[in-house]
Amino acid sequence: MKTGWWRNAVVYQVYPRSFMDSNGDGIGDLPGLLQRLDYLQWLGVTVIWLCPMFRSPNDDNGYDISDYQDIHPEFGTMADLDRLLEELHRRGMRLVLDLVLNHTSDEHPWFIESRSSRDNPRRNWYVWRDGRNGGPPNNWESIFKGSAWAWDEATGQYYLHLFTRRQPDLNWENPEVRTAMAAMVRWWLDKGVDGFRIDAVTHMKKAPGFPDAPNPQGLEFAPAYGCHMCVPGVLDFVDELARTSFARYDVMTVGEANGVSAAQAVEWVGEDRGRLDMILQFEHWHLWSNQPRVALDVRALKTILTRWQLALAESGWNALYLENHDLPRVLSRWGDTVRYRYESATALAAMYFLMRGTPFIYQGQELGMANTVFTSLDDFRDRFAYNRIERMRAAGMDDADILAEMSLTARDNSRTPMPWNNGPNAGFTTGIPWLAVNPEYPAINVATEREEPRSVLNFYRALIALRTTEPVLAHGRYRLVAKRHPQVYAYLRESEEGRFLVVCNLTAEPATFSHRAFPWQRVKLRLGNYPTPRDEGEWGVLRAFEARVVEVG
Ligand code: NOJ
Ligand code: CA
């Protein structure tokens, strides 16, 4: 029976490589995560989404899996995973795994067989094609740059890889692949995991006939629409997988849904469709992550997020997020890390967290972490970064410009080790961390922020407590107010259980704001990032990045 428990959840995303190292090899691991469960419980989150911890040669930090039913030795053992599950459940918390279905590692036994000869029974488990005019079969670009096709010398054909060349795409048209995947998913469900985040789910179907793409290079992460993203029929794969695996269990599913528009969202998460519970949409972060340094367009943000709120108001449910391991830190773009660090981090937090949906926090976001500092091109660890650096060099850019560009956009910005305290290596490891710690760690770390009442961490904790104790903040209707205000994002949450107004000034300039129906004298401030205003005048002006969560009765 489906209870929909995940609607009341607060999800915390753990990037295991960077969370906590227990044995001094510089790499985070499952025993390290186990040591920090008390912290996560104290914070108040209820679900851990664990990025891939499966066996993997680590070409894309675990998103290249060579055995779906084993643990990467750097991270620990299956016994550690079992213990994690047990310890979370004992605390009333849950575990969601990252399911990478679109591709495997090139070291997965299926691919090793598939590439061994053209008539191997597993040949058709992947996508093999003859070349065209001495080159690849079509013009598709990999999302990680370069042709999406890799030449295999031994069998004289190309295989498709939408991500790195060591991540060959599975052929989901093949029923044997679908059956094997469903069996693997059931195996984890029977072990007791509480759900999945499904990687690259919109890419599983490729356009029949593999036609050339009109926009082969596309936008980063929005490539070749209609060729290998949101191709009609992709939902049939999701349907079948749901029917044969997770729909039979009371678990949560959230799909990584590049390319899905708000208008299409109900097809993916509408309750009567029985497919996924939520999707992680990509629309709002296109406002920042790929753009040159521009100020946040508050109105555009309101338009996008409100569109998603309304699209799923009747049927379906939103996943609310600002950050993840694929994005640089939001604070470095939309916040003010110099003058208003606390204020801007907390205003951004209140803005997205109290909308209708399940909020997600990416590790370190709750500390108000910003981008790290890269001093040389050798500082990067991400394969995608290497590919981009190579291309920029080939295009004649000099290293200083490449470094400036990568410092702004690289995924490694958010993958730095979790800063636990102000000791050596931020308390993450006793060894040499696989990726350098963010140099801000002496001030921005868990231990320091826990002690400081006015810290980003304690604000997140209060936000989580509020979201968890006020049902209207989980389930109430969403209504945007002051739609045209250029600085302020304000919205109401309403139900029989109460009514809240969330008001966030997302700029460094003061902003006037009043609401006719809810004069400030009659509201109750439940959470804010400034001292409570003392009089009518103060109530009427929001200070730089001021956020107020008020109960309006
Ligand atoms: C999306 C994941 O979030 C990202 O980290 C990964 O590189 C790609 N999918 C490929 O699996
Ligand atoms: Ca380790």
Side-chain angles (χ1 to χ4, degrees):
M1 216 256 299
K2 288 275 197 188
T3 60
W5 55 265
W6 38 268
R7 288 196 177 86
N8 296 315
V10 175
V11 181
Y12 187 92
Q13 182 188 353
V14 168
Y15 199 66
R17 215 173 176 73
S18 298
F19 196 62
M20 182 65 205
D21 175 22
S22 70
N23 61 353
D25 66 356
I27 297 171
D29 45 51
L30 298 178
L33 170 53
L34 273 151
Q35 290 168 12
R36 298 299 182 182
L37 294 187
D38 289 344
Y39 164 69
L40 297 174
Q41 191 174 21
W42 169 83
L43 182 59
V45 299
T46 54
V47 174
I48 306 300
W49 149 22
L50 184 59
C51 282
M53 74 304 150
F54 310 93
R55 189 177 279 273
S56 157
N58 214 41
D59 187 53
D60 186 22
N61 283 0
Y63 283 92
D64 50 317
I65 297 173
S66 55
D67 187 341
Y68 288 93
Q69 282 154 249
D70 199 2
I71 306 296
H72 189 339
E74 283 175 345
F75 292 155
T77 62
M78 194 58 83
D80 294 327
L81 198 278
D82 291 338
R83 201 149 58 84
L84 177 63
L85 203 50
E86 209 180 288
E87 283 296 314
L88 283 170
H89 288 169
R90 198 171 61 77
R91 289 170 161 83
M93 296 165 75
R94 318 223 194 196
L95 182 65
V96 163
L97 298 185
D98 210 316
L99 209 51
V100 189
L101 302 176
N102 177 70
H103 45 269
T104 67
S105 158
D106 63 348
E107 290 186 26
H108 195 292
W110 297 340
F111 188 71
I112 293 174
E113 281 189 49
S114 184
R115 80 184 319 174
S116 67
S117 79
R118 286 198 189 202
D119 48 25
N120 184 278
R122 288 230 160 84
R123 184 68 168 180
N124 198 28
W125 280 44
Y126 293 82
V127 183
W128 291 96
R129 286 289 179 283
D130 291 328
R132 184 180 67 179
N133 311 326
N138 67 23
N139 70 352
W140 292 4
E141 276 273 307
S142 148
I143 293 168
F144 285 176
K145 303 298 167 201
S147 171
W149 298 93
W151 173 249
D152 180 58
E153 191 59 51
T155 57
Q157 280 191 314
Y158 288 86
Y159 66 85
L160 181 70
H161 62 91
L162 293 185
F163 296 91
T164 79
R165 56 183 296 128
R166 301 205 51 197
Q167 292 169 300
D169 280 55
L170 283 158
N171 175 17
W172 273 76
E173 303 296 336
N174 183 342
E176 287 172 17
V177 168
R178 303 200 297 269
T179 305
M181 282 304 199
M184 177 274 286
V185 173
R186 285 194 304 269
W187 185 85
W188 280 108
L189 288 164
D190 290 336
K191 220 175 193 343
V193 305
D194 304 292
F196 303 100
R197 175 264 192 188
I198 306 179
D199 188 69
V201 65
T202 58
H203 293 284
M204 285 173 9
K205 176 104 182 169
K206 280 70 183 179
F210 295 83
D212 272 342
N215 60 333
Q217 306 207 349
L219 289 168
E220 238 154 64
F221 280 101
Y225 196 90
C227 285
H228 58 67
M229 186 170 75
C230 299
V231 172
V234 66
L235 284 166
D236 297 337
F237 295 154
V238 179
D239 273 339
E240 182 179 316
L241 184 67
R243 213 170 351 100
T244 54
S245 65
F246 44 74
R248 306 178 185 172
Y249 297 73
D250 186 20
V251 295
M252 122 178 190
T253 54
V254 53
E256 187 205 24
N258 193 1
V260 176
S261 68
Q264 299 161 329
V266 161
E267 285 303 319
W268 288 81
V269 299
E271 275 122 58
D272 55 339
R273 308 297 200 281
R275 291 174 177 144
L276 302 177
D277 298 321
M278 293 175 268
I279 52 174
L280 297 158
Q281 56 90 7
F282 274 44
E283 225 189 321
H284 63 310
W285 59 259
H286 283 302
L287 281 181
W288 60 282
S289 75
N290 300 325
Q291 304 297 325
R293 205 175 255 296
V294 285
L296 164 63
D297 181 344
V298 177
R299 284 195 195 129
L301 181 68
K302 291 195 275 193
T303 304
I304 292 174
L305 294 182
T306 300
R307 189 188 296 145
W308 280 87
Q309 288 287 306
L310 300 183
L312 298 177
E314 301 303 323
S315 180
W317 192 253
N318 271 286
L320 311 169
Y321 79 101
L322 287 180
E323 294 199 343
N324 62 39
H325 63 295
D326 292 330
L327 296 170
R329 295 285 183 183
V330 71
L331 196 60
S332 298
R333 278 305 183 89
W334 287 354
D336 182 331
T337 52
V338 180
R339 290 176 302 162
Y340 299 112
R341 184 168 195 127
Y342 168 79
E343 293 81 356
S344 57
T346 50
L348 286 166
M351 179 275 293
Y352 89 98
F353 206 88
L354 299 177
M355 292 187 193
R356 185 167 183 273
T358 297
F360 287 59
I361 299 171
Y362 174 64
Q363 68 182 47
Q365 179 188 333
E366 80 276 23
L367 305 173
M369 285 183 80
N371 283 348
T372 193
V373 179
F374 298 103
T375 53
S376 119
L377 294 180
D378 299 331
D379 290 349
F380 297 95
R381 294 288 175 274
D382 178 10
R383 172 78 47 204
F384 182 31
Y386 299 155
N387 291 357
R388 290 184 57 208
I389 291 169
E390 200 181 299
R391 271 169 87 98
M392 287 189 260
R393 277 186 171 150
M397 255 170 100
D398 67 44
D399 281 6
D401 291 341
I402 298 176
L403 185 62
E405 159 70 24
M406 295 299 293
S407 296
L408 218 55
T409 56
R411 305 197 292 181
D412 283 332
N413 271 306
S414 57
R415 297 178 177 186
T416 57
M418 182 76 177
W420 294 103
N421 55 47
N422 58 13
N425 291 316
F428 164 73
T429 181
T430 55
I432 300 165
W434 72 278
L435 173 67
V437 297
N438 187 314
E440 293 189 309
Y441 80 87
I444 314 288
N445 67 67
V446 172
T448 303
E449 293 195 34
R450 261 181 99 145
E451 296 305 310
E452 164 61 51
R454 195 171 170 277
S455 66
V456 179
L457 178 58
N458 276 310
F459 188 89
Y460 265 97
R461 186 163 181 256
L463 205 48
I464 294 167
L466 193 62
R467 165 78 171 56
T468 313
T469 47
E470 291 292 344
V472 57
L473 291 174
H475 302 277
R477 284 178 305 280
Y478 165 98
R479 184 145 61 91
L480 183 69
V481 299
K483 182 173 162 206
R484 312 268 334 138
H485 201 301
Q487 294 167 276
V488 173
Y489 198 139
Y491 57 91
L492 281 162
R493 299 297 310 282
E494 310 172 290
S495 75
E496 306 66 49
E497 289 158 313
R499 185 149 61 170
F500 277 78
L501 177 62
V502 180
V503 182
C504 306
N505 175 8
L506 298 180
T507 71
E509 279 70 53
T512 52
F513 178 88
S514 61
H515 195 295
R516 245 175 303 126
F518 311 112
W520 290 118
Q521 302 90 305
R522 286 204 268 119
V523 307
K524 183 166 161 218
L525 185 66
R526 293 289 300 271
L527 185 63
N529 57 0
Y530 275 92
T532 309
R534 282 163 309 184
D535 54 33
E536 189 61 28
E538 284 190 3
W539 273 109
V541 182
L542 295 156
R543 290 157 278 192
F545 292 102
E546 181 162 5
R548 296 178 192 159
V549 181
V550 295
E551 202 173 341
V552 294

